[in-house]
Amino acid sequence: MSGTEDDERVFAALAPAGGRGFAQSWWGRAWLKALEDTALDGEQLKRGRRHARQGAVGAVSVRPGRITAVVRDRDGTAHRSDVLLQQLSEEEWERFLEMAVDRAGHIAALLDREMPPHLVEDASGAGVELLPGIGDLEPECTCEAWDHCPHSAALCYQVARLLDQDPFVLLLMRGRTERGLLDELQVRSVSRAARAQLEPPPGEAPAGAGVPAAEAFAAQDILPPLPAPPPLPQEAGRPPVLGTAADPSEVVDEGALEFLAGDAAARALRMLSDALSPGHERQPLETELTPGQDAVRLAASTSDARLTERLASGTGRSRTELDLAVRAWRFGGAAALAVLEEEWTPEPEALRRAAAALEAAWDDGDRPPLRAGGAGRWTVKNGTAQLRYGRDGRWWPYREEDGRWVPAGPAGHDPAAALADALGEG
C-alpha cells in the first residue's frame, strides 16, 4: 500500500484468491451483500467473482466517495472501473464522533482495526449508516454496461478482501482518513475528560452554592442519592488457603475447593465489571450454564490433571471425552459444546438455505465433493473434513483425528472459510 494524497490510499494488486470465499469478516460480507442484493444480472457477478479470483484486478485506489481500479478481461483488454459510495455529511460525522466518544470500546475496536457489530448498531441508532445498503454501490465502467458489469463486480469483490484487513478503508470511502478520524476522537476524548473534572455531576450545584428554598422544601421527603460505587479492583482476590497441619479430610478436597473459590472470585469480578460498564442495562442476560457445561468451562481454565480427572468423573465423561469437550469450549463456549455433543435436525427450509450457501460459496467445479448427513452435517467425500451447521446458522469446521471428529476452529457464517479451516487451509 502506498498513499498518493492525504485523502487517497492505493493498494497494490492482490494475489489470486484461490477457491475460498472472499470476505472473512462480517463487515466484508455485509459489503458483498450490498453488491449481490443490488445487481440484476447474477451471471455478471459470477464473471466478476472469477475475474477477482484469477487476479485480474489491478491496484485499487480508495478515495472519499469512490474506489477505482483497472480490470482486465481474459483477452487482456483493460477497463477502468469505478464504484461510487455516498460520503457522510458533516452532520452525520458529528453524530458518529459524539457516539464513538461515549463508548471507549468503540475507539479501542477501531484502533485494533475491527468494526464490531455494536459500533455499527450504535452508529445506526444515531442516524449514521456506515455499511452500504441495497443500491448504495453505484458502478461506472469504460465498458459502458448499465448495471454492475464483471469489471465493477470484480472490483467490489477485491475491496471485500481489503475491508477484511482494515475497516478504515470503508471509513475513507465514507469521507474521513484514518489519521484524521483518530485525531478527532482523541481530541474529543481529552476535552470531555477535562470538562468532567471541572463540571459538577448533573443536578449537583457547584461547591459552596446554596439550594433554592422551594427546591429544598419539595425534596424534604426524598432520601439523598446513593454514594458512588467504590473503585473496581484490578484483580480478583486470592482464595483462602484451606490446608492445615492436620490430616487431610476424606470428605472435602481442599485443593478443589480452593480452585472453585478462586474461580468464583474471578467470575464475580467480571460480572461486577460488566455491571458497571455503560449500557449494561441494555445487554441481554447471560444464559445459565448446566452443571455439565460448567464442568467443561472449569476444565478449560485449569491445567491440574487431578482436578481434570475429578471433573471428568463427576460429569460421566472419560478423560478423552472431556479433553475433546474442552477443545470445543475454547473455540466457542456453550454453543461449540452443543455442536460437539448434541444432534439436531434443522428445519427443511434451513437445510435448503444451508445447501444453497454451500453451493454459492464456490465457482463451478471448485467445490470439494460433500456428502450430506443427518443433524445438519456435511462431510467431504473420501476426506477427513466435515462441516456442522449450528442452531444459530453458523458453520463449524471439524476434522477427523484418530477415528473421531474433533473441532478444528471457531464458527463462521461463510461455509467456504469454515471448510478451509477443516482442511487445514485457513
Side-chain angles (χ1 to χ4, degrees), residues 80-211:
R80 170 182 165 140
S81 189
D82 295 76
V83 175
L84 281 59
L85 178 63
Q86 182 69 40
Q87 298 182 55
L88 300 180
S89 67
E90 287 299 320
E91 180 183 353
E92 289 173 319
W93 275 116
E94 179 69 21
R95 292 200 297 268
F96 173 79
L97 290 166
E98 285 299 304
M99 178 278 303
V101 172
D102 283 338
R103 297 279 298 271
H106 290 338
I107 301 177
L110 289 173
L111 290 173
D112 286 340
R113 280 182 158 68
E114 293 182 359
M115 189 177 291
H118 58 268
L119 185 152
V120 176
E121 293 165 1
D122 288 348
S124 180
V128 181
E129 298 299 335
L130 293 178
L131 292 167
I134 297 177
D136 286 348
L137 302 179
E138 182 180 344
E140 293 181 356
C141 187
T142 55
C143 75
E144 299 183 353
W146 65 275
D147 187 27
H148 274 286
C149 63
H151 314 107
S152 66
L155 174 57
C156 286
Y157 279 106
Q158 199 77 319
V159 168
R161 296 174 67 188
L162 300 179
L163 288 172
D164 273 355
Q165 304 167 17
D166 188 353
F168 282 103
V169 172
L170 175 63
L171 297 176
L172 177 57
M173 280 188 275
R174 286 299 199 185
R176 291 293 176 97
T177 64
E178 174 183 350
R179 187 70 268 159
L181 181 61
L182 294 179
D183 286 348
E184 180 67 17
L185 287 172
Q186 183 178 15
V187 168
R188 290 176 183 241
S189 297
V190 172
S191 175
R192 179 168 297 189
R195 288 199 307 269
Q197 291 180 349
L198 296 175
E199 297 176 359
E204 183 176 312
V211 179

